[in-house]
Amino acid sequence: MSYYTLLMRNESIDFGSYSAEDMQKIIADFDAWNDKMLSQGQLIASASLQGSFGKILRGGAVSDGPYSEAREVVGGLFLIQAADEDEAVAIASGCPFLPRGGSIEVRLTTELEFEDTALGIVQAHMQARVEKQK
């Protein structure tokens, strides 16, 4: 089993144009996608990144966004496990961002290392999410 990071890029998604009902549908779609990955033992962790600005570190300098191009704005990430790149791409293809104009970058994470205490926390978190799903 290999680990992959899925980077969600907002690209042309204008969430401000969505109604409250549309946003609830997006949330429900993500919940369903997460539940599917959890039930198949694929999802390790996920995070939504807030805002479109952040700090950029280059050499010794720290600067604020904006990023040079909209496609560089990462809206969230998923850490998954899959047998190979084809399976990781198949998992990513279910992301609710895709039909709405976003994109997913699938990157192999060759080594996933945790400090001893962090591994227990990640495993407990995964188990709690699976239990909550039942």
Side-chain angles (χ1 to χ4, degrees), residues 9 11 52-58 63-74:
R9 299 189 187 281
E11 300 201 7
S52 59
F53 299 98
K55 300 291 183 193
I56 302 171
L57 287 73
R58 287 191 179 97
S63 62
D64 291 328
Y67 305 97
S68 60
E69 297 183 41
R71 73 173 182 266
E72 294 180 13
V73 178
V74 176

Side-chain angles (χ1 to χ4, degrees), residues 99-122:
R100 293 175 170 90
S103 67
I104 302 285
E105 181 178 345
V106 179
R107 301 288 301 270
L108 176 64
T109 305
T110 56
E111 292 183 32
L112 185 62
E113 296 181 13
F114 294 101
E115 298 299 325
D116 291 341
T117 55
L119 179 58
I121 293 168
V122 170

Side-chain angles (χ1 to χ4, degrees), residues 17-116:
S17 68
Y18 285 97
S19 68
E21 294 81 21
D22 290 338
M23 289 304 295
Q24 288 301 318
K25 171 72 171 125
I26 291 170
I27 291 168
D29 289 348
F30 267 100
D31 287 344
W33 188 50
N34 287 342
D35 289 347
K36 179 180 178 184
M37 288 188 290
L38 279 169
S39 70
Q40 295 177 357
Q42 299 165 326
L43 182 60
I44 297 170
S46 62
S48 175
L49 304 177
Q50 301 300 306
S52 59
F53 299 98
K55 300 291 183 193
I56 302 171
L57 287 73
R58 287 191 179 97
V62 177
S63 62
D64 291 328
Y67 305 97
S68 60
E69 297 183 41
R71 73 173 182 266
E72 294 180 13
V73 178
V74 176
L77 61 94
F78 290 83
L79 182 59
I80 64 168
Q81 54 187 0
D84 54 31
E85 185 178 74
D86 289 340
E87 183 180 18
V89 169
I91 293 167
S93 70
C95 179
F97 257 27
L98 296 175
R100 293 175 170 90
S103 67
I104 302 285
E105 181 178 345
V106 179
R107 301 288 301 270
L108 176 64
T109 305
T110 56
E111 292 183 32
L112 185 62
E113 296 181 13
F114 294 101
E115 298 299 325
D116 291 341

